[in-house]
mmCIF file of all heavy atoms in Angstrom:
data_model
loop_
_atom_site.group_PDB
_atom_site.id
_atom_site.type_symbol
_atom_site.label_atom_id
_atom_site.label_comp_id
_atom_site.label_asym_id
_atom_site.label_seq_id
_atom_site.Cartn_x
_atom_site.Cartn_y
_atom_site.Cartn_z
ATOM 1 N N GLU U 1119 -0.632 10.851 10.225
ATOM 2 C CA GLU U 1119 0.113 12.115 10.257
ATOM 3 C C GLU U 1119 -0.439 13.095 9.223
ATOM 4 O O GLU U 1119 -0.627 14.280 9.503
ATOM 5 C CB GLU U 1119 1.592 11.850 9.989
ATOM 6 C CG GLU U 1119 2.443 13.115 9.982
ATOM 7 C CD GLU U 1119 3.882 12.848 9.583
ATOM 8 O OE1 GLU U 1119 4.250 11.664 9.424
ATOM 9 O OE2 GLU U 1119 4.637 13.819 9.425
ATOM 10 N N ARG U 1124 -3.717 17.806 7.651
ATOM 11 C CA ARG U 1124 -4.801 18.323 6.806
ATOM 12 C C ARG U 1124 -5.902 18.978 7.642
ATOM 13 O O ARG U 1124 -6.525 19.947 7.216
ATOM 14 C CB ARG U 1124 -5.381 17.192 5.961
ATOM 15 C CG ARG U 1124 -6.403 17.651 4.933
ATOM 16 C CD ARG U 1124 -6.708 16.568 3.933
ATOM 17 N NE ARG U 1124 -7.758 16.977 3.012
ATOM 18 C CZ ARG U 1124 -7.593 17.773 1.977
ATOM 19 N NH1 ARG U 1124 -6.414 18.273 1.722
ATOM 20 N NH2 ARG U 1124 -8.600 18.092 1.190
ATOM 21 N N MET U 1138 -5.315 24.893 -5.052
ATOM 22 C CA MET U 1138 -4.203 24.169 -4.446
ATOM 23 C C MET U 1138 -4.475 23.850 -2.989
ATOM 24 O O MET U 1138 -4.035 22.796 -2.486
ATOM 25 C CB MET U 1138 -2.918 24.989 -4.574
ATOM 26 C CG MET U 1138 -1.672 24.243 -4.149
ATOM 27 S SD MET U 1138 -1.384 22.750 -5.138
ATOM 28 C CE MET U 1138 0.195 23.158 -5.863
ATOM 29 N N LEU U 1149 1.343 4.178 -9.400
ATOM 30 C CA LEU U 1149 1.885 2.821 -9.504
ATOM 31 C C LEU U 1149 1.342 1.941 -8.380
ATOM 32 O O LEU U 1149 0.236 2.183 -7.902
ATOM 33 C CB LEU U 1149 3.417 2.849 -9.534
ATOM 34 C CG LEU U 1149 4.051 3.607 -10.723
ATOM 35 C CD1 LEU U 1149 5.576 3.585 -10.624
ATOM 36 C CD2 LEU U 1149 3.606 3.023 -12.053
ATOM 37 N N ASP U 1150 2.125 0.942 -7.941
ATOM 38 C CA ASP U 1150 1.574 -0.001 -6.962
ATOM 39 C C ASP U 1150 1.810 0.417 -5.510
ATOM 40 O O ASP U 1150 1.008 0.101 -4.638
ATOM 41 C CB ASP U 1150 2.108 -1.423 -7.203
ATOM 42 C CG ASP U 1150 3.623 -1.478 -7.364
ATOM 43 O OD1 ASP U 1150 4.269 -0.412 -7.324
ATOM 44 O OD2 ASP U 1150 4.160 -2.593 -7.546
ATOM 45 N N ASP U 1158 3.696 22.055 0.364
ATOM 46 C CA ASP U 1158 3.572 23.508 0.471
ATOM 47 C C ASP U 1158 3.650 24.098 -0.924
ATOM 48 O O ASP U 1158 4.075 23.429 -1.878
ATOM 49 C CB ASP U 1158 4.684 24.074 1.359
ATOM 50 C CG ASP U 1158 4.356 25.462 1.909
ATOM 51 O OD1 ASP U 1158 3.238 25.970 1.643
ATOM 52 O OD2 ASP U 1158 5.215 26.039 2.596
ATOM 53 N N GLY U 1186 -5.033 36.744 -20.407
ATOM 54 C CA GLY U 1186 -4.418 37.213 -21.651
ATOM 55 C C GLY U 1186 -2.934 37.481 -21.482
ATOM 56 O O GLY U 1186 -2.117 37.151 -22.349
ATOM 57 N N LYS U 1210 6.844 9.401 -3.481
ATOM 58 C CA LYS U 1210 7.344 8.044 -3.243
ATOM 59 C C LYS U 1210 7.385 7.338 -4.587
ATOM 60 O O LYS U 1210 6.364 7.252 -5.284
ATOM 61 C CB LYS U 1210 6.419 7.297 -2.272
ATOM 62 C CG LYS U 1210 6.906 5.896 -1.918
ATOM 63 C CD LYS U 1210 5.956 5.237 -0.916
ATOM 64 C CE LYS U 1210 6.393 3.831 -0.550
ATOM 65 N NZ LYS U 1210 5.427 3.177 0.373
ATOM 66 N N VAL U 1213 13.330 3.512 -7.367
ATOM 67 C CA VAL U 1213 14.657 4.116 -7.525
ATOM 68 C C VAL U 1213 14.981 4.375 -8.998
ATOM 69 O O VAL U 1213 15.538 5.415 -9.348
ATOM 70 C CB VAL U 1213 15.732 3.211 -6.878
ATOM 71 C CG1 VAL U 1213 17.131 3.598 -7.338
ATOM 72 C CG2 VAL U 1213 15.639 3.308 -5.352
ATOM 73 N N ALA U 1232 19.210 5.882 2.853
ATOM 74 C CA ALA U 1232 19.411 4.476 3.188
ATOM 75 C C ALA U 1232 20.725 4.265 3.937
ATOM 76 O O ALA U 1232 21.070 3.137 4.282
ATOM 77 C CB ALA U 1232 19.389 3.629 1.924
ATOM 78 N N HIS U 1248 1.819 -3.785 -18.777
ATOM 79 C CA HIS U 1248 2.946 -2.850 -18.933
ATOM 80 C C HIS U 1248 4.278 -3.570 -19.096
ATOM 81 O O HIS U 1248 5.335 -2.929 -19.095
ATOM 82 C CB HIS U 1248 3.002 -1.900 -17.741
ATOM 83 C CG HIS U 1248 1.814 -1.013 -17.645
ATOM 84 N ND1 HIS U 1248 1.437 -0.155 -18.660
ATOM 85 C CD2 HIS U 1248 0.878 -0.858 -16.666
ATOM 86 C CE1 HIS U 1248 0.343 0.496 -18.305
ATOM 87 N NE2 HIS U 1248 -0.025 0.081 -17.108
ATOM 88 N N LEU U 1273 7.516 -11.839 -14.923
ATOM 89 C CA LEU U 1273 6.951 -11.426 -13.635
ATOM 90 C C LEU U 1273 7.524 -12.256 -12.485
ATOM 91 O O LEU U 1273 7.838 -11.719 -11.417
ATOM 92 C CB LEU U 1273 5.423 -11.562 -13.659
ATOM 93 C CG LEU U 1273 4.647 -10.405 -14.284
ATOM 94 C CD1 LEU U 1273 3.157 -10.749 -14.359
ATOM 95 C CD2 LEU U 1273 4.846 -9.110 -13.505
ATOM 96 N N ASP U 1279 13.591 -12.148 -7.755
ATOM 97 C CA ASP U 1279 14.864 -11.436 -7.609
ATOM 98 C C ASP U 1279 14.751 -10.304 -6.593
ATOM 99 O O ASP U 1279 15.673 -10.062 -5.806
ATOM 100 C CB ASP U 1279 15.326 -10.881 -8.955
ATOM 101 C CG ASP U 1279 15.782 -11.975 -9.919
ATOM 102 O OD1 ASP U 1279 15.894 -13.136 -9.483
ATOM 103 O OD2 ASP U 1279 16.022 -11.659 -11.103
ATOM 104 N N MET U 1290 22.460 -9.111 5.672
ATOM 105 C CA MET U 1290 23.759 -8.440 5.754
ATOM 106 C C MET U 1290 23.767 -7.364 6.835
ATOM 107 O O MET U 1290 24.796 -7.135 7.479
ATOM 108 C CB MET U 1290 24.117 -7.816 4.398
ATOM 109 C CG MET U 1290 24.585 -8.836 3.376
ATOM 110 S SD MET U 1290 25.247 -8.063 1.885
ATOM 111 C CE MET U 1290 23.762 -7.379 1.144
ATOM 112 N N ASN U 1307 23.133 -3.718 -2.566
ATOM 113 C CA ASN U 1307 22.588 -4.973 -3.078
ATOM 114 C C ASN U 1307 21.101 -4.873 -3.413
ATOM 115 O O ASN U 1307 20.518 -5.824 -3.920
ATOM 116 C CB ASN U 1307 22.808 -6.084 -2.040
ATOM 117 C CG ASN U 1307 22.656 -7.473 -2.633
ATOM 118 O OD1 ASN U 1307 23.262 -7.785 -3.651
ATOM 119 N ND2 ASN U 1307 21.832 -8.299 -2.011
ATOM 120 N N ASN U 1311 14.178 -1.429 -8.500
ATOM 121 C CA ASN U 1311 12.728 -1.251 -8.427
ATOM 122 C C ASN U 1311 12.226 -1.065 -6.997
ATOM 123 O O ASN U 1311 11.021 -0.989 -6.764
ATOM 124 C CB ASN U 1311 11.999 -2.417 -9.099
ATOM 125 C CG ASN U 1311 12.198 -3.736 -8.359
ATOM 126 O OD1 ASN U 1311 13.209 -3.929 -7.683
ATOM 127 N ND2 ASN U 1311 11.243 -4.648 -8.490
ATOM 128 N N TRP U 1355 -4.025 24.533 -9.340
ATOM 129 C CA TRP U 1355 -3.207 25.551 -8.684
ATOM 130 C C TRP U 1355 -3.159 26.844 -9.492
ATOM 131 O O TRP U 1355 -3.444 27.930 -8.983
ATOM 132 C CB TRP U 1355 -1.803 24.971 -8.479
ATOM 133 C CG TRP U 1355 -0.746 25.902 -7.975
ATOM 134 C CD1 TRP U 1355 -0.925 27.012 -7.184
ATOM 135 C CD2 TRP U 1355 0.658 25.798 -8.211
ATOM 136 N NE1 TRP U 1355 0.292 27.594 -6.926
ATOM 137 C CE2 TRP U 1355 1.281 26.871 -7.535
ATOM 138 C CE3 TRP U 1355 1.459 24.897 -8.910
ATOM 139 C CZ2 TRP U 1355 2.669 27.065 -7.556
ATOM 140 C CZ3 TRP U 1355 2.829 25.080 -8.927
ATOM 141 C CH2 TRP U 1355 3.417 26.154 -8.253
#
Side-chain angles (χ1 to χ4, degrees):
E1119 179 185 354
R1124 187 167 176 79
M1138 188 60 119
L1149 298 179
D1150 49 358
D1158 200 3
K1210 183 178 179 183
V1213 165
H1248 296 302
L1273 277 174
D1279 289 351
M1290 284 189 290
N1307 197 51
N1311 66 333
W1355 173 28

